[in-house]
Amino acid sequence: MTQQPPVEPEPSRPVRSWVCSSPGTHIWFLIIALTSLVVLLAPSHLDHLLLHRNSSNLHQLLQHPVQSLVSSAFWIEDPMSLPLYLVLFEVFLAPVERWLGTLRWLVIVVMAHVTATLISQRLVLESIETHRAPAAMAHVLDIGVSYGIAGAVGVLAYRLLGPWRWLYLVSVLAVFGVPLANDGSFTDLGHVIALGVGLTALPLTRGLPGERPGAGGPDRTRTGAAGENRW
């Protein structure tokens, strides 16, 4: 895959440059903001219907597999949490897109979302079939962008060097692993799976401009001024 060099923010227009350097992240967030506005303005019975129709729960996956996988990534359950998602997008998704480019970023996010959804819902199906979970679990609400974010969190570890990488890894493993170990839900399992997808995406970090072969990160001898080519 041919990659363009990372786009550094223009000093005079840092916000505009940041948005333009990570278009996929900000287009995705814009769509989520619009769907959140729809949920916020819709009558209570209609917003419930919209969220469930766009869910990637077991029922929707069996009826409309592709549609549910795609649409579930563009809705969140609570519109009031939109500011939190904006922070997560800017802290994790945007830096990954600026670093790897939009195409590789998209591959990681899609793989994390799809893999985590399918595996976690497969386990829901097995739990229902073996009577370890009620049949109503097939209709549980399963929407949101958290699996994609978890994938970005995982691959971002390769952007860090030295002890910072290990500190980051310990932190994110604790954040995602503790809820799962403490009687976690299928969503907690999905987060860990998505994180794993990001951590196994090391090959997609290779071949970037200014990178030392085999280093998994930028070549600091070629970055020029202090702070250049960093997130």
Side-chain angles (χ1 to χ4, degrees), residues 97-113:
E97 186 177 4
R98 291 187 71 238
W99 171 40
L100 299 180
T102 301
L103 180 57
R104 298 189 191 197
W105 167 88
L106 183 62
V107 169
I108 293 170
V109 168
V110 170
M111 286 178 58
H113 175 72

Side-chain angles (χ1 to χ4, degrees), residues 84-106:
L84 172 61
Y85 282 106
L86 176 59
V87 172
L88 294 174
F89 271 52
E90 299 299 344
V91 172
F92 297 109
L93 289 169
V96 170
E97 186 177 4
R98 291 187 71 238
W99 171 40
L100 299 180
T102 301
L103 180 57
R104 298 189 191 197
W105 167 88
L106 183 62

Side-chain angles (χ1 to χ4, degrees), residues 10-92:
E10 300 174 15
S12 59
R13 298 178 178 178
V15 175
R16 178 180 177 181
S17 298
W18 176 263
V19 171
C20 291
S21 67
S22 48
T25 296
H26 293 96
I27 290 173
W28 191 11
F29 182 80
L30 177 60
I31 296 173
I32 292 168
L34 292 175
T35 58
S36 296
L37 181 62
V38 170
V39 171
L40 189 63
L41 298 178
S44 58
H45 67 281
L46 182 57
D47 65 6
H48 179 82
L49 177 63
L50 284 170
L51 292 176
H52 279 270
R53 284 290 179 88
N54 290 284
S55 175
S56 55
N57 58 32
L58 189 56
H59 174 75
Q60 291 296 327
L61 283 173
L62 293 174
Q63 297 293 322
H64 314 284
V66 176
Q67 176 185 326
S68 63
L69 282 171
V70 173
S71 63
S72 63
F74 295 100
W75 298 78
I76 58 175
E77 185 174 1
D78 182 11
M80 295 298 101
S81 63
L82 195 62
L84 172 61
Y85 282 106
L86 176 59
V87 172
L88 294 174
F89 271 52
E90 299 299 344
V91 172
F92 297 109

